[in-house]
């Protein structure tokens, strides 16, 4: 794994990022052995990682899309909306929605709502609907280029 080599080179922050991305990808793909290996490396570098198994129903330890509760799945399917919009749609409070979103993000091994949308799209085989999370950065770079 690239993260292991990066850690050996003394670049701990970059190694953590590489290993977290690898762990999330392996969880989404169902590559449990590789996911466990990435988790071990993360722990070796001092990162706390849940010890759950993909598909496990214990919400504190479970990881991967199969670990989502039925309510978390409902919330995850509309995560592209704001918390208020989701709350109104599902008859929940915005704070409860935020709580569910935090759990969803942790279980899917992503870092944002856009990551949740992308992870679910990949799991469902709908890669065309994966959000372009870099579009804002690209627009900003284009604006800078125009001003130079």
């Amino acid at each position: 794994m690239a993260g292991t080599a990066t850690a050996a080179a003394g670049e701990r922050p970059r190694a953590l990022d590489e290993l977290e991305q690898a762990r999330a990808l392996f969880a989404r793909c169902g590559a449990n052995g590789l996911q466990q290996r990435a988790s071990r490396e993360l722990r070796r570098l001092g990162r706390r990682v849940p010890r759950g198994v993909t598909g496990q129903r214990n919400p504190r330890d479970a990881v991967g899309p199969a670990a989502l509760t039925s309510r978390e799945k409902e919330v995850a399917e509309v995560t592209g909306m704001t918390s208020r919009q989701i709350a109104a749609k599902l008859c929940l409070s915005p704070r409860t929605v935020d709580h569910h979103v935090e759990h969803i993000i942790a279980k899917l091994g992503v870092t944002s709502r856009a990551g949740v949308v992308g992870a679910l799209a990949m799991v469902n085989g709908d890669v065309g609907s994966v959000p372009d999370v870099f579009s804002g950065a690209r627009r900003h770079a284009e604006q800078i280029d125009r001003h130079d």
Side-chain angles (χ1 to χ4, degrees):
M1 273 183 247
T4 305
T6 307
E11 298 182 43
R12 185 177 180 275
R14 189 166 149 228
L16 288 169
D17 185 52
E18 291 281 344
L19 288 165
E20 285 173 347
Q21 288 179 28
R23 181 179 170 273
L25 175 65
F26 297 147
R28 286 192 297 270
C29 296
N32 294 335
L34 292 171
Q35 179 188 356
Q36 290 170 358
R37 184 173 166 200
S39 295
R40 276 193 306 273
E41 286 298 313
L42 283 165
R43 285 188 198 100
R44 191 178 64 76
L45 293 172
R47 182 64 48 107
R48 292 187 68 198
V49 180
R51 293 191 181 272
V53 178
T54 301
Q56 188 176 357
R57 297 305 300 165
N58 178 350
R60 288 194 177 137
D61 295 332
V63 293
L68 298 177
T69 65
S70 58
R71 180 58 96 179
E72 288 169 346
K73 287 177 186 174
E74 284 181 290
V75 173
E77 289 172 4
V78 291
T79 302
M81 302 167 76
T82 66
S83 292
R84 282 192 176 150
Q85 291 169 330
I86 296 170
K89 181 177 177 117
L90 300 178
C91 299
L92 299 170
S93 76
R95 187 171 178 190
T96 299
V97 170
D98 289 338
H99 179 77
H100 285 305
V101 170
E102 286 177 22
H103 285 203
I104 294 164
I105 286 171
K107 287 180 181 181
L108 295 181
V110 296
T111 57
S112 67
R113 287 174 177 242
V116 170
V117 173
L120 293 179
M122 290 180 77
V123 166
N124 296 329
D126 188 14
V127 180
S129 69
V130 175
D132 183 1
V133 295
F134 298 108
S135 62
R138 263 196 302 280
R139 279 194 304 272
H140 181 70
E142 289 169 0
Q143 289 174 347
I144 291 172
D145 288 343
R146 277 183 261 168
H147 292 297
D148 287 341

